[in-house]
Amino acid sequence: AAAAAAFAPTPRGSAPRAPRRATADVESCLREEFPEFAALAFQNEELWKGLKDDAGYTVLAPNGDAFANLDDKVRNQLQDPRNGEVVEQLGAFHVISDPVTAEQLYESSGVVTVGGRIEVGRSVVGGFFGVGGKEDGGVTINGAKIVSSREFGECVVHEMDGFCSPSTLFRYLDQLRLPGTS
């Protein structure tokens, strides 16, 4: 009887209820392990509504050190509600609409995020000004290195040691402020 109920057709006029378990696990992971990023990323509600558990997606989550390396001024600007549009765009550059593993990224030269295309490279150790170093098997996305990865169903969360969004995006913080306002 329980098996029959599991395969019962959906009544007309009602949509099937897709399990949101992976997304709940991803959200929990981001809130617990990457709270600074979660506070920014979850401001973009439309971004999260468009992601699907069954198809999977990838989150490139900057870790606490990435936020600690930002200037105090930039951290304050990211929390300012007047910079909401820039913060939403920043979050969009950290989400890929498909599940992508570190190995798949290693073999690519770029990836299309919700925010746009960003470069993917291989991390190098040693050398002098980028010359003479050796690949260490790691992946960099727009200069930020993947530190670790976690999978939740079809969804992937990569811990990043920096921001994947274009650095020029930070220039737009406070652009809408009127002269003389703080």
Side-chain angles (χ1 to χ4, degrees):
F7 294 105
T10 303
R12 278 183 108 54
S14 66
R17 299 187 69 183
R20 299 285 297 171
R21 180 73 183 146
T23 294
D25 290 344
V26 168
E27 289 176 1
S28 177
C29 171
L30 294 177
R31 288 186 200 286
E32 292 171 16
E33 297 181 39
F34 309 100
E36 299 96 341
F37 176 69
L40 297 179
F42 292 146
Q43 290 181 32
N44 190 344
E45 291 179 24
E46 292 301 313
L47 170 68
W48 297 101
K49 286 180 185 176
L51 300 175
K52 308 226 181 307
D53 278 350
D54 56 347
Y57 55 87
T58 304
V59 179
L60 309 169
N63 61 22
D65 291 341
F67 281 88
N69 290 334
L70 293 173
D71 292 339
D72 288 339
K73 179 181 177 183
V74 172
R75 278 197 303 274
N76 290 334
Q77 289 170 323
L78 290 172
Q79 295 174 0
D80 190 326
R82 293 173 285 191
N83 292 318
E85 191 173 330
V86 176
V87 169
E88 286 181 8
Q89 188 66 23
L90 187 137
F93 273 102
H94 288 83
V95 177
I96 304 168
S97 297
D98 298 303
V100 185
T101 65
E103 293 79 23
Q104 291 169 322
L105 287 167
Y106 184 81
E107 297 299 327
S108 72
S109 62
V111 66
V112 178
T113 67
V114 175
R117 187 181 190 287
I118 52 179
E119 299 297 316
V120 175
R122 297 177 179 187
S123 60
V124 177
V125 294
F128 187 68
F129 290 109
V131 178
K134 293 189 179 208
E135 290 182 12
D136 65 359
V139 179
T140 61
I141 301 174
N142 221 25
K145 186 175 181 179
I146 294 178
V147 177
S148 67
S149 300
R150 295 163 191 78
E151 293 185 19
F152 301 95
E154 293 295 318
C155 304
V156 181
V157 175
H158 296 295
E159 177 183 355
M160 307 301 298
D161 71 354
F163 287 84
C164 301
S165 53
S167 58
T168 56
L169 193 59
F170 288 99
R171 292 183 191 168
Y172 294 99
L173 293 170
D174 292 337
Q175 291 296 311
L176 300 177
R177 292 201 180 194
L178 299 173
T181 63
S182 56

